[in-house]
Amino acid sequence: MKLKDLIVSHRKGIIVVLILVVIENVAWLMEPKVFGNLIDAFINKYNNKSVILTAAELTPLLIWIIIYAANSLAGASRRLAEPHVFQKMLTAIASHLSESGKSTGIPPTKLAARAQLSQEIVYFCQYRIPELTEHIIAVVGALIALTLFDWRISTLCLLVTIPLSIIGRIYNNKVSVYQRDLHDKYENIYDTFSGMEPENVKQLYMQMGKQQKKIAFWSALNFGSLRLVLLIIFMMVLYISIDLDDFTTGNIFSIVTYLWAFISSVEYIPDLMESRTSLSDIIRRFKTEED
């Protein structure tokens, strides 16, 4: 079983979910600029001491309401569609494992363990792929928006990719070893329990805990390094925005919001890398037995 074939066989449902993700996040990405214009419009209204809303003030308000509604409706529709699409995928994987077990003679205990591990495949498709789409939109959209304000801001943000690539490569090499060992032990859970020896069960879970601690250590180190780099970038962007450019209050709000969107999306990378590494090892196990 290949992840590509699994996705292709459920492509219609996945495409619907991804379209809703795109609508939801493009609308969300438009909100900071529109809301920034709305802030400036109402500040001008206050300065002019006017009571009646003019067309210049009413237009950004209506645009913001429409965008907000699009974001909310797409988000609600996506949450309704996801369980239907991905429960069918989980059922297909479980059926495939059962058929594979008959033809290859894989022990039922190992098949049961792999059925549990296969939930991570569904989790990746249900959450990680939409999240990846969401964060790509956020990063690209935020960089475009920040460039329109000041090209120096987006250039600073792009510099983050250099240390990120170095940190990410080290992290991936370390975690892949621990994930593989963790899955090896996980496949022995049912056999261990069948022996009815509490001490063996305890030892197995203690060994699994050690691998999880090692993964957590590298995850924390990766996250901390990333946050340090982002803090430096954030301070430099604030300096450009406040000291070097004559931005309005609404513009500063928009810039900070887009910057946080960029930072939040970049922070997601370690979680995605860990999930992808784990998923690769699970897929490898399925392919190895079938080959």
Side-chain angles (χ1 to χ4, degrees), residues 29-270:
L29 201 60
M30 295 170 64
E31 280 191 51
K33 175 58 178 174
V34 174
F35 199 77
N37 293 338
L38 182 61
I39 290 174
D40 287 338
F42 275 84
I43 288 176
N44 291 334
K45 176 182 178 301
Y46 175 80
N47 292 335
N48 295 332
K49 302 186 184 303
S50 174
V51 177
I52 302 174
L53 288 174
T54 64
E57 297 155 354
L58 191 60
T59 299
L61 176 61
L62 292 175
I63 293 175
W64 176 71
I65 292 174
I66 292 171
I67 292 174
Y68 185 87
N71 173 279
S72 302
L73 288 173
S77 300
R78 175 172 65 87
R79 285 160 177 80
L80 284 172
E82 283 178 345
H84 174 72
V85 174
F86 296 105
Q87 185 58 42
K88 288 176 62 177
M89 181 181 292
L90 182 59
T91 302
I93 294 174
S95 299
H96 175 84
L97 283 172
S98 179
E99 294 173 2
S100 176
K102 286 184 177 181
S103 60
T104 59
I106 301 174
T109 53
K110 182 173 286 191
L111 279 177
R114 289 190 177 180
Q116 289 293 108
L117 283 174
S118 67
Q119 293 187 18
E120 193 166 334
I121 300 175
V122 178
Y123 180 89
F124 187 89
C125 294
Q126 182 172 358
Y127 296 105
R128 294 308 191 188
I129 292 178
E131 284 174 0
L132 177 61
T133 305
E134 172 185 335
H135 290 297
I136 288 174
I137 293 172
V139 167
V140 174
L143 287 174
I144 293 173
L146 291 171
T147 301
L148 295 176
F149 285 108
D150 190 321
W151 65 270
R152 292 171 295 187
I153 298 176
S154 58
T155 301
L156 282 172
C157 290
L158 283 172
L159 291 177
V160 174
T161 58
I162 299 175
L164 277 186
S165 61
I166 298 173
I167 296 171
R169 184 178 295 275
I170 297 173
Y171 174 81
N172 190 62
N173 291 337
K174 293 290 184 179
V175 170
S176 61
V177 177
Y178 302 137
Q179 287 282 11
R180 191 180 310 120
D181 190 49
L182 181 62
H183 291 158
D184 285 340
K185 291 177 171 56
Y186 194 91
E187 287 190 341
N188 293 324
I189 284 180
Y190 290 93
D191 284 333
T192 305
F193 269 97
S194 66
M196 302 298 289
E197 292 291 339
E199 187 61 31
N200 291 340
V201 173
K202 179 181 178 181
Q203 289 297 323
L204 177 64
Y205 274 87
M206 287 180 65
Q207 292 171 1
M208 291 172 65
K210 289 180 181 178
Q211 299 306 317
Q212 290 172 332
K213 288 178 181 178
K214 291 177 182 178
I215 293 172
F217 169 78
W218 282 99
S219 178
L221 184 63
N222 189 17
F223 180 77
S225 303
L226 174 62
R227 291 285 291 182
L228 177 61
V229 173
L230 291 176
L231 174 63
I232 296 171
I233 297 298
F234 187 76
M235 297 302 295
M236 295 174 70
V237 169
L238 283 182
Y239 172 74
I240 293 173
S241 301
I242 296 174
D243 284 359
L244 300 184
D245 289 316
D246 186 22
F247 287 131
T248 64
T249 303
N251 285 340
I252 292 176
F253 167 83
S254 300
I255 289 171
V256 171
T257 304
Y258 283 123
L259 186 58
W260 273 119
F262 176 82
I263 290 175
S264 299
S265 296
V266 171
E267 285 178 345
Y268 163 79
I269 292 175

